Amino acid sequence: MIDVKHLYKSFGNHEVLTDLNEHIHPGEKVVIIGPSGSGKSTFLRCLNLLEEPTKGTITFQDQEITSPKADIDQVRRQMGMVFQHFNLFPNMTIQKNITLAPVRTGLMKQEEAEQTAKELLDRVGLADKAQAYPSQLSGGQKQRIAIVRALAMKPKLMLFDEPTSALDPEMVGEVLDVMKQLAQEGMTMVVVTHEMGFAREVGDRVLFMADGHIVEQNTPEALFGNPQEERTRSFLAKVL
């Protein structure tokens, strides 16, 4: 589904990503772990060009999205993204937050969008919050709404950038449960996270990044159970 070749990203003189090459297959759950400042979030944001690569190519479903000819807005409609912070519109009801993009982009008529919102809210246990405003919700509820809002666009791929890092510990589980359900349903997912239990349980493949490189990648069992690189072993010794 995604093919990354020789990806570099610099901010001024500071090189954040160095010669990354990666493939993500349809239905695959790829979890990216690593220390702060390793380039994990920058790599994720390059996948939908929220950060523009300095060099290299990214192909999504056989279309080179780093080409100047690519319609990136059209591509992004197929890529849902969930951030650390919920980015909900505070002046709109939850239902309006969810229906705005599908209606505005012409993906759905208002009635269909509202029905979709209802079904998705029910699925994440928040059907009774449709007419509430973001300020009336807990952090965990807001993040579940952010996931629903992304799903309302019927994406082929979901990108998660540390979706639980801004939450109180007791709210983390309710968000991870929604993500696990998505994984079980076969959604292609790329997840940057510090939740090692989630990486172990849900990932088909875990990438360990440090200093702008993918240092090591493997199945969760192999990477957590028998890491091959000293840098990986050092990191896991501190977080497990």
Side-chain angles (χ1 to χ4, degrees):
M1 184 173 278
I2 297 182
D3 189 27
V4 177
K5 289 184 178 169
H6 304 298
L7 181 71
Y8 289 77
K9 176 62 183 176
S10 298
F11 294 103
N13 294 325
H14 179 48
E15 192 166 81
V16 180
L17 300 176
T18 306
D19 199 20
L20 298 191
N21 295 277
E22 195 50 59
H23 306 277
I24 294 157
H25 301 284
E28 196 174 24
K29 288 80 184 145
V30 177
V31 182
I32 305 172
I33 63 171
S36 296
S38 59
K40 307 182 300 292
S41 290
T42 301
F43 176 47
L44 192 78
R45 291 166 69 89
C46 281
L47 295 181
N48 65 357
L49 297 201
L50 282 179
E51 295 289 357
E52 202 162 318
T54 307
K55 277 197 296 186
T57 62
I58 299 171
T59 305
F60 174 65
Q61 293 196 310
D62 301 322
Q63 178 187 1
E64 190 197 318
I65 65 173
T66 38
S67 163
K69 297 175 184 173
D71 182 349
I72 190 58
D73 290 333
Q74 190 63 40
V75 171
R76 284 189 187 128
R77 290 178 193 180
Q78 302 173 69
M79 296 183 175
M81 184 146 190
V82 178
F83 302 88
Q84 289 181 38
H85 299 286
F86 327 113
N87 299 333
L88 300 175
F89 296 111
N91 60 326
M92 295 181 185
T93 64
I94 297 309
Q95 179 174 286
K96 184 70 173 170
N97 264 281
I98 297 165
T99 60
L100 182 67
V103 173
R104 190 69 68 83
T105 58
L107 182 68
M108 300 176 197
K109 301 285 190 206
Q110 186 68 38
E111 192 176 329
E112 184 190 353
E114 287 177 7
Q115 181 59 33
T116 299
K118 183 173 179 294
E119 290 167 4
L120 288 169
L121 285 170
D122 193 45
R123 178 169 153 186
V124 300
L126 293 172
D128 59 334
K129 301 296 183 186
Q131 299 309 317
Y133 286 85
S135 62
Q136 298 170 296
L137 272 56
S138 70
Q141 289 172 329
K142 287 178 190 169
Q143 195 61 294
R144 282 187 280 163
I145 297 298
I147 294 172
V148 163
R149 183 177 58 178
L151 290 176
M153 290 295 290
K154 302 188 184 299
K156 296 189 170 131
L157 166 74
M158 285 287 286
L159 306 174
F160 293 89
D161 186 7
E162 297 190 27
T164 59
S165 64
L167 298 178
D168 291 335
E170 68 267 24
M171 294 174 183
V172 168
E174 63 193 58
V175 174
L176 293 181
D177 285 345
V178 172
M179 294 170 65
K180 287 173 190 173
Q181 185 184 345
L182 273 180
Q184 287 162 2
E185 290 167 3
M187 174 65 76
T188 309
M189 298 165 64
V190 185
V191 184
V192 172
T193 187
H194 293 293
E195 300 291 336
M196 298 300 144
F198 176 86
R200 207 188 276 261
E201 183 181 346
V202 175
D204 295 315
R205 195 154 47 98
V206 179
L207 311 186
F208 171 67
M209 285 187 69
D211 306 317
H213 298 273
I214 297 171
V215 175
E216 183 171 355
Q217 60 173 295
N218 216 322
T219 63
E221 296 79 11
L223 190 120
F224 288 110
N226 186 25
Q228 300 300 300
E229 300 291 333
E230 177 54 40
R231 185 71 184 84
T232 316
R233 288 196 288 273
S234 166
F235 173 78
L236 292 175
K238 290 178 182 139
V239 299
L240 293 180

